[in-house]
Amino acid sequence: MLDYSTAEGLTIEHMREAHERIKPYINRTPVLQSQYLNDLTGADLFFKCENFQEAGAFKVRGACNAVFGLTEDQAKNGVCTHSSGNHALSLSYAAGRRGICCNVVMPRTAPQAKKDAVIRYGGTITECEPSTTSREATFADVQARTGGEFVHPYNDPRVIAGQATCSAELLEQTDGLDAVVAPIGGGGMISGTCLTISNLAPDIKIYAAEPEQADDAYRSFKSGHIIADDAPVTIADGLKVPLRENTWHFVSRFVTDIHTASEQEIIDAMKITWKYLRIVMEPSCAVPLATILKNRDVFKGKRVGVIVTGGNVDLDKLPWL
């Protein structure tokens, strides 16, 4: 087994090992296109639909790589984490498949659909206030009590290597791309994308997409060091957390640029995608399309992969209702 101790040590072989490990537990999600969205943006868009995972989000990749890479001794007390939702439910899913317990700390404001999924997959929830400080403090108590193996939602090389498998599939499913756009919060997906693309297709440009109201990654990228907001407010609930050292390693080296979108631009992009791509997606997943629409000149005439990161939404609380 390869060493997953540091982000700097991750190689394309870590991604390949992760892909073999998690194949029994994930879906090879489809890539969809819409002529309307191509015409609207002036680009050839390829949507990698991770909302079609059993757990409804790309995070099942990293969670499964971490859980099924544990030794029996590491797994004896189960796993634990803190998460705004998709990592919590994905880790619960993975732990359930391995037959071990999973304890998660979630903000009390997390979407009920995500809390319901954690419970459905057998996880145990401890709620906290909607801030990074509260999440981490509450988590410290939970881990001390349970003794579970900590699987960080994104600042974990095992998780990053698992997320890297998404863009590897995207490359196989498309006949050449000029760019890939993915949402950025803590940076797990974008780091995995960087790991794969920089090794397998280094000419492809990598763009990250972020809400204006939670733009700490954008400000970090422009300043050259991590800037961490504690409790940003945005409808894109999956993108509220800050970068950490392992994800900053990839973002600072391989991302071409970070674009931001307003709350209304995110809502408009979400509605357009629901209507014309005909899939259920979260507000966080609409941020890439929102930034493509806002920066048409950057993407016009290009073949662009767009990672749709998840589809776990409260249907009674859609942002346009």
Side-chain angles (χ1 to χ4, degrees):
M1 184 184 298
L2 298 170
D3 179 11
Y4 289 82
S5 59
T6 65
E8 292 87 345
L10 288 177
T11 69
I12 199 64
E13 292 308 316
H14 289 85
M15 182 281 290
R16 289 175 175 140
E17 180 180 78
H19 212 183
E20 285 302 312
R21 179 182 290 129
I22 69 178
K23 275 182 180 177
Y25 312 104
I26 66 165
N27 296 329
R28 183 181 173 89
T29 54
V31 173
L32 301 182
Q33 285 198 279
S34 161
Q35 189 60 54
Y36 176 84
L37 294 177
N38 288 349
D39 292 342
L40 186 66
T41 60
D44 204 5
L45 304 182
F46 299 85
F47 293 87
K48 176 66 169 164
C49 296
E50 288 294 285
N51 52 327
F52 289 169
Q53 293 291 353
E54 169 62 28
F58 78 94
K59 285 184 178 279
V60 72
R61 296 175 180 270
C64 283
N65 190 46
V67 165
F68 288 96
L70 296 176
T71 65
E72 289 302 317
D73 186 59
Q74 288 174 316
K76 65 183 179 182
N77 293 322
V79 290
C80 56
T81 197
H82 55 80
S83 165
S84 59
N86 279 335
H87 178 68
L89 64 90
S90 294
L91 194 65
S92 298
Y93 167 86
R97 294 301 182 274
R98 180 156 179 177
I100 60 177
C101 63
C102 180
N103 284 276
V104 302
V105 172
M106 298 179 71
R108 59 175 175 76
T109 55
Q112 190 61 44
K114 296 181 180 181
K115 294 178 183 177
D116 291 345
V118 169
I119 295 168
R120 185 168 71 250
Y121 292 132
T124 300
I125 299 172
T126 300
E127 293 193 348
C128 65
E129 292 303 306
S131 71
T132 300
T133 301
S134 178
R135 277 169 60 149
E136 293 180 349
T138 305
F139 172 77
D141 292 338
V142 170
Q143 186 183 31
R145 173 169 50 81
T146 64
E149 171 79 9
F150 180 28
V151 180
H152 194 281
Y154 54 91
N155 194 44
D156 185 318
R158 300 168 298 184
V159 169
I160 292 171
Q163 317 307 26
T165 65
C166 178
S167 51
E169 291 180 4
L170 177 61
L171 291 179
E172 293 170 355
Q173 292 168 300
T174 52
D175 185 20
L177 295 173
D178 299 302
V180 173
V181 187
I184 189 168
M189 168 52 75
I190 208 76
S191 294
T193 303
C194 289
L195 174 61
T196 295
I197 298 296
S198 66
N199 280 280
L200 299 184
D203 291 337
I204 295 177
K205 293 183 177 181
I206 302 167
Y207 294 91
E210 189 173 40
E212 286 180 0
Q213 293 186 190
D215 68 343
D216 49 297
Y218 170 83
R219 287 180 284 123
S220 300
F221 187 74
K222 297 303 181 183
S223 66
H225 61 89
I226 296 176
I227 296 172
D229 291 340
D230 190 48
V233 178
T234 174
I235 58 169
D237 62 278
L239 305 180
K240 294 181 178 182
V241 291
L243 296 167
R244 291 287 191 243
E245 66 275 7
N246 285 328
T247 52
W248 176 245
H249 167 77
F250 288 99
V251 171
S252 62
R253 287 166 173 80
F254 300 110
V255 168
T256 299
D257 205 354
I258 299 178
H259 297 141
T260 62
S262 70
E263 297 294 284
Q264 189 58 54
E265 288 165 342
I266 295 168
I267 292 171
D268 291 344
M270 185 177 174
K271 291 173 71 174
I272 290 169
T273 315
W274 276 49
K275 184 174 182 179
Y276 293 102
L277 204 60
R278 300 172 185 86
I279 59 172
V280 174
M281 65 189 301
E282 301 173 32
S284 298
C285 311
V287 183
L289 179 60
T291 62
I292 292 169
L293 288 165
K294 192 174 184 177
N295 299 275
R296 284 180 172 88
D297 57 322
V298 175
F299 301 101
K300 185 177 180 179
K302 303 289 183 15
R303 293 169 60 83
V304 183
V306 184
I307 299 178
V308 179
T309 47
N312 294 307
V313 294
D314 282 340
L315 295 178
D316 294 328
K317 294 183 180 180
L318 296 176
W320 54 80
L321 294 181

